[in-house]
């Protein structure tokens, strides 16, 4: 069987969405066509607008179409705390815990085998960010994976000479787990139980 | 926490997709922005094109942007068989079986409580379609729900006076299905529909 060309093209395109296989893509395409064309057009527009206009916050490097993201623009957050994460989704996860300091978002983690050194993941910008501000504590909230740990160690070494408390979120996060998949309660414990980085 | 406005708008729009909840929509939005903007733009375009141009096949009423869908346009299918289904997704399911006749797609099933009578679901067009062709057998492949059964009965009555074989897809134990897991109604059908063992 073949769907008509535009329907096939829509099904193929839906499969770029993470977690969407062939069957779901078919169901999505036909349901949109049958029941929600207006919603589908709004989605098309939202995709276009976001892809064309969303860039990176100039301060924390999370995704944002404005020069400063909501977390950096907020005047009433704790300017003594900086939390370093691997991706914008991690900002979202940490926000769920009630954390109220600032952020810095790396471009992932160090991965020498993939040619990803400190510059590729934005560590020079991180250092500049820290030097330009007056943080008292830096929380290393990279993933608890081998690469995330190595990245945390690397950053801790770089910051060792500065007059800063450098902490690591507690291992309430399951080892090998990715931050964005952890439930909010576990993450709250991990944040509250953070300890000085050795 | 708030995402920036365009990201929030994208997340909300992704939730119109069947089976996509808040968490998946967040992950989808940020992954597209971080890793696949080109794919996302292609998806936006595919949605737009499909919503603007896909209509209904004039012969079988399945979704198609061409006047005739691939199944109706194909010259080498069996013109003596017509299979009646409730939705375009059912056409797809039946095609997987190797069925090689023609189709007619109703707009769902009869549902008097929702004000859906024979005209709303396209039965007058079905009758015209049958009268204009030379089918020998009509296969009622509406769902095995109460409404699907009622719809099949209604169509069978209407076609009773015509010189046609009218058949209904069999109900029974699904292949690979364990008897103890099958509901009683299905099992009754399976027993009543038993056939000589070869
Ligand atoms: Zn920011
Ligand atoms: Zn057709």
């Amino acid at each position: 069987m073949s769907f008509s060309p535009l329907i096939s093209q829509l099904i193929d395109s839906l499969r770029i969405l993470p977690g969407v296989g062939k069957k779901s893509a078919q169901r999505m395409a036909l349901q949109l066509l049958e029941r929600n064309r207006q919603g589908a057009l709004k989605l098309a527009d939202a995709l276009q607008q976001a892809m064309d206009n969303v860039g990176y916050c100039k301060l924390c490097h999370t995704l944002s179409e404005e020069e400063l993201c909501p977390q950096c623009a907020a005047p009433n957050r704790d300017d003594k705390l900086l939390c370093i994460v691997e991706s914008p989704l991690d900002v979202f996860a940490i926000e769920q815990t009630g954390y109220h300091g600032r952020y810095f978002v790396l471009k992932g983690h160090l991965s020498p085998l993939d040619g990803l050194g400190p510059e590729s993941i934005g560590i020079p910008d991180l250092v500049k960010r820290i030097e330009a501000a007056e943080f008292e504590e830096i929380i290393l909230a990279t993933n608890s994976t081998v690469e995330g740990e190595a990245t945390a160690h690397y950053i801790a070494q770089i910051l060792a000479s500065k007059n800063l408390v450098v902490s690591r979120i507690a291992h309430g996060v399951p080892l090998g787990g990715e931050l964005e998949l952890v439930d909010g309660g576990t993450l709250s414990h991990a944040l509250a139980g953070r300890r000085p980085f050795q």
Side-chain angles (χ1 to χ4, degrees), chain A residues 86 109-110 141-153 168:
Chain A
E86 292 187 27
H109 46 246
L110 293 173
T142 50
N143 287 334
S144 308
T145 55
V146 174
E147 297 88 351
E149 292 293 345
T151 305
H153 271 278
R168 177 82 172 113

Side-chain angles (χ1 to χ4, degrees), chain A residues 50-161:
Chain A
M51 299 308 138
D52 288 351
N53 298 306
V54 173
Y56 293 91
C57 172
K58 72 169 181 182
L59 220 47
C60 76
H61 293 195
T62 198
L63 290 163
S64 173
E65 74 267 22
E66 282 149 38
E67 217 177 16
L68 292 183
C69 74
Q71 286 70 244
C72 287
N76 57 342
R77 296 184 69 117
D78 187 345
D79 283 316
K80 308 221 173 298
L81 273 178
L82 182 74
C83 180
I84 301 175
V85 295
E86 292 187 27
S87 87
L89 264 179
D90 299 332
V91 173
F92 180 75
I94 300 274
E95 281 291 287
Q96 310 289 71
T97 70
Y99 170 79
H100 214 60
R102 304 295 182 178
Y103 290 96
F104 190 86
V105 181
L106 300 170
K107 289 218 171 304
H109 46 246
L110 293 173
S111 181
L113 290 179
D114 303 313
L116 296 177
E119 309 227 333
S120 317
I121 69 165
I123 287 183
D125 285 338
L126 167 62
V127 174
K128 273 185 225 153
R129 170 86 175 99
I130 290 172
E131 285 171 351
E134 301 192 346
F135 298 115
E136 293 179 358
E137 180 177 354
I138 309 291
I139 304 171
L140 302 170
T142 50
N143 287 334
S144 308
T145 55
V146 174
E147 297 88 351
E149 292 293 345
T151 305
H153 271 278
Y154 181 86
I155 296 170
Q157 272 182 323
I158 283 190
L159 300 181
S161 63

Side-chain angles (χ1 to χ4, degrees), chain A residues 163-179:
Chain A
N163 189 22
L164 286 165
V165 176
V166 178
S167 59
R168 177 82 172 113
I169 49 170
H171 282 167
V173 179
L175 283 179
E178 299 202 15
L179 228 64

